[in-house]
Amino acid sequence: MPDWERVTKQRAKGAGWDEIANDPKVHFEPPTGADPGRALKVLYFHQRSGAGSSRHSRAAKRESHGIGPVGGRSRVRWAIAGSAMAAFAAVILVLVFLLPAPGPSGSPSPGTSSGPGSIGSTTEFSYLAQQHTDACHWPGVNLGDETANVNWIDGLPDSSFLQGACCTPMDFSDYTNQTTRLQGFSSVPGIAPDPYNMPAHVAKADVAGEGLALTSDQQSTLSSAMGMTADHGWCCCQCWAYYAHEGLAKSLIVQEGYTADQVVTVIDLEDCCGGPGQMSM
């Protein structure tokens, strides 16, 4: 199994998934045919979300309180549980990376309906929780490729939507908290009122901010904000949302005069990775 402690530390330093996956000290061997960075990311989220109400496992919680397995039988049970978890994670990786994408053309399509309910409602949550067009990786659009991701967003129909959570299932308490707090930013262009139901025209406006020129002070504000978000970056990986959030952050700094703390508040509320809790990478 990978060295998860090292993975977490590398993410905290701002390292990308591909860089971490290729770090020999991480000891990660991706499935045949899988993208190493993306495979590590999926496995990382699986092991963090596999127990309790947070993304940290019960084992990590026990260790943080000085409690560990006692006796040979406990150690055996933990070893068996670890093996089972690893096997289950391998199945997930195969399903994610080796099966063809859904849809008549082999590729998923952005949503064409905003949903049946109002923002933050149980009806809307139930609808969005079943949608999967907020994907980290689309065919032909690689993670970390800014040009490809921006071009892909710009090519979406204005009437379409990127919906659902990209990494883990949506959580209702997170959903209501985010959408409720985002109401306070309704007058600010580019801030989507529902991060799990991103209109294509808003995503386009956000990535347009990538082209803004920043002064040295503004760049310092941007860099500070990036390191303070819950993801220690603009998203948990360099997908479409990463560039949309970065462009939004630049717009907020240049056009709205936002401070680093204000930018962090917005970006964390715009988190579309799923729940429960913010992604803490």
Side-chain angles (χ1 to χ4, degrees), residues 15-281:
W17 286 110
D18 288 335
E19 178 183 351
I20 298 172
N22 292 318
D23 181 348
K25 294 183 180 179
V26 168
H27 306 297
F28 177 62
E29 297 182 6
T32 302
D35 177 89
R38 189 176 178 222
L40 179 62
K41 173 191 164 188
V42 171
L43 188 58
Y44 179 79
F45 287 139
H46 172 72
Q47 66 88 27
R48 284 171 67 88
S49 62
S53 60
S54 73
R55 284 179 162 73
H56 298 288
S57 69
R58 289 191 178 91
K61 291 181 178 179
R62 288 168 63 89
E63 290 172 1
S64 68
H65 289 84
I67 304 173
V70 179
R73 292 182 180 179
S74 294
R75 284 192 290 271
V76 171
R77 285 197 295 269
W78 276 68
I80 294 174
S83 298
M85 181 177 178
F88 182 64
V91 172
I92 289 178
L93 290 173
V94 170
L95 291 175
V96 170
F97 297 107
L98 302 184
L99 294 184
S105 65
S107 300
S109 300
T112 57
S113 170
S114 62
S118 59
I119 295 174
S121 66
T122 55
T123 300
E124 189 73 347
F125 171 82
S126 297
Y127 170 77
L128 293 174
Q130 301 303 314
Q131 307 307 309
H132 304 289
T133 56
D134 173 13
C136 291
H137 177 74
W138 292 71
V141 185
N142 295 324
L143 295 175
D145 187 335
E146 178 179 349
T147 300
N149 277 277
V150 170
N151 287 343
W152 176 76
I153 292 174
D154 286 339
L156 295 174
D158 284 346
S159 59
S160 63
F161 301 83
L162 298 174
Q163 298 172 319
C166 66
C167 297
T168 57
M170 289 175 61
D171 176 78
F172 184 66
S173 62
D174 265 17
Y175 175 67
T176 55
N177 175 62
Q178 287 173 255
T179 53
T180 297
R181 293 179 62 191
L182 281 168
Q183 292 176 13
F185 299 92
S186 59
S187 63
V188 182
I191 298 181
D194 184 345
Y196 298 100
N197 196 11
M198 172 66 79
H201 68 88
V202 175
K204 292 179 183 182
D206 288 346
V207 296
E210 288 281 44
L212 290 173
L214 278 62
T215 65
S216 58
D217 287 344
Q218 290 170 339
Q219 183 61 52
S220 178
T221 299
L222 183 74
S223 299
S224 295
M226 181 178 180
M228 293 191 296
T229 66
D231 289 338
H232 300 295
W234 302 122
C235 190
C236 61
C237 65
Q238 288 180 292
C239 60
W240 74 266
Y242 180 99
Y243 301 107
H245 292 169
E246 183 176 44
L248 172 59
K250 290 182 178 181
S251 297
L252 294 175
I253 293 169
V254 175
Q255 299 172 353
E256 304 294 331
Y258 270 37
T259 65
D261 287 336
Q262 290 174 315
V263 170
V264 169
T265 296
V266 171
I267 297 303
D268 283 350
L269 289 176
E270 290 285 271
D271 188 301
C272 56
C273 293
Q278 292 284 350
M279 283 287 182
S280 181
M281 310 287 290

